[in-house]
Amino acid sequence: MGFSVSASTAIIVVGLFLAFGMFYPAMANSVDRVTDAHDDQADRMLSIQNTAIELENATKEDIGDEDGEWEVTVNVTNTGSTSIPLSRTDLLINNSYQDEPETMIQETEDTETDLWLPGETAEFTTTVDQEPDRVSVVVTQGIRVSGELETVEEEEQ
Amino acid sequence: MASVSTSHLIIFVASLVVAAGVVGTLTTGVDRVSSAVQDGSLDVSQQVRTDVTIISDPGSSIVVENGDEEVDVTIHVRNTGSQTIPARESAIDMFLNGQFQGEEDFTIEVQGTTDNADVWRPDEVVEITITAEEADLDTDNRIFLTVNGDQEEFEFRS
């Protein structure tokens, strides 16, 4: 009788070890995964707080060609404390997405760089088919500025 | 005496069988709960990582007439989270003025240069065009969309 109790206790103890061995990694992985996701979210929140932009001016100019195209120039200053990737900056003119506008950092007249540093003003230039009214510039994390486009009169010759 | 050892043997075997049964049930249950916890954590982490933002400017013309008394309502949505989202109509639950828009009522298209138009990666923008009847739009309108638990609202005038 005594040996039966010890033997079955031993089997149950081994079983408990097995069960814990299965449960622990699953639990640890799950907690890790969710903690990572929350860390990532906190990083995003921090970068939202550090990012700020300001619209300096936005102008449109009739190119004067047969297709009636307009050239739009938008100047935006990075007033935050973090660099913004220019390739991930979106330009919306009259609610239509502008594919890869030309970009230039005004201070350095650099057109190749992708980094838009704090304090610098970036100039976005693109051409649209119809006379536009409004422009929006959107940077990482969805921070955006929008405004009316002012018309530039052609200089008289 | 022989009957005593036989009954001891029977009780011994029976106790082993019962213990083995308990252990089997226990480990099966724990295994099931473990995989459910793992699935749950995967869902939760994806929901935490998912974040989208409607970047359209309500001041521009959102509604464009399409002829046939139909209108196109176009909005742009940026993936501001760290989770890649399939660029499919089924990934988005869309409501226009409280009416659910089925998969055939709107289209989704990734904007800009992309090497795979089927996925909507972080920092990419999609254009969502809802085709609605003119009668469905009021003066003030509201779009409500849900992506993987992340809810966004957009209000505009037609």
Side-chain angles (χ1 to χ4, degrees), chain A residues 9 16 19-20 24 36-37 53 61 93 107 109 122-123 129 134 137-138 140 155:
Chain A
T9 310
L16 283 175
F20 182 73
Y24 181 75
D36 277 358
I53 53 172
E61 188 178 0
I93 295 175
E107 280 77 1
E109 298 200 343
E123 181 178 282
D129 297 337
R134 285 182 68 86
V137 177
V138 187
T140 34
E155 285 175 29

Side-chain angles (χ1 to χ4, degrees), chain A residues 62-122:
Chain A
D62 194 348
I63 296 179
D65 64 0
E66 292 168 359
D67 304 330
E69 290 187 324
W70 288 70
E71 187 179 71
V72 175
T73 309
V74 187
N75 286 301
V76 184
T77 305
N78 179 352
T79 51
S81 53
T82 182
S83 66
I84 299 171
L86 281 170
S87 59
R88 291 179 177 183
T89 301
D90 305 316
L91 190 64
L92 290 171
I93 295 175
N94 268 18
N95 200 32
S96 96
Y97 187 86
Q98 301 301 312
D99 213 357
E100 297 188 353
E102 285 173 33
T103 56
M104 183 181 82
I105 298 294
Q106 279 202 338
E107 280 77 1
T108 55
E109 298 200 343
D110 192 343
T111 54
E112 298 295 317
T113 182
D114 188 38
L115 283 180
W116 177 13
L117 303 177
E120 287 182 341
T121 301

Side-chain angles (χ1 to χ4, degrees), chain A residues 1-14:
Chain A
M1 191 64 189
F3 189 65
S4 313
V5 174
S6 324
S8 41
T9 310
I11 290 179
I12 289 177
V13 167
V14 169

Side-chain angles (χ1 to χ4, degrees), chain A residues 40 88 90 95 99-100 134, chain B residues 57 74 78 82 123 125:
Chain A
D40 214 59
R88 291 179 177 183
D90 305 316
N95 200 32
D99 213 357
E100 297 188 353
R134 285 182 68 86
Chain B
D57 172 21
T74 307
R78 184 175 170 128
S82 56
D123 287 324
V125 174

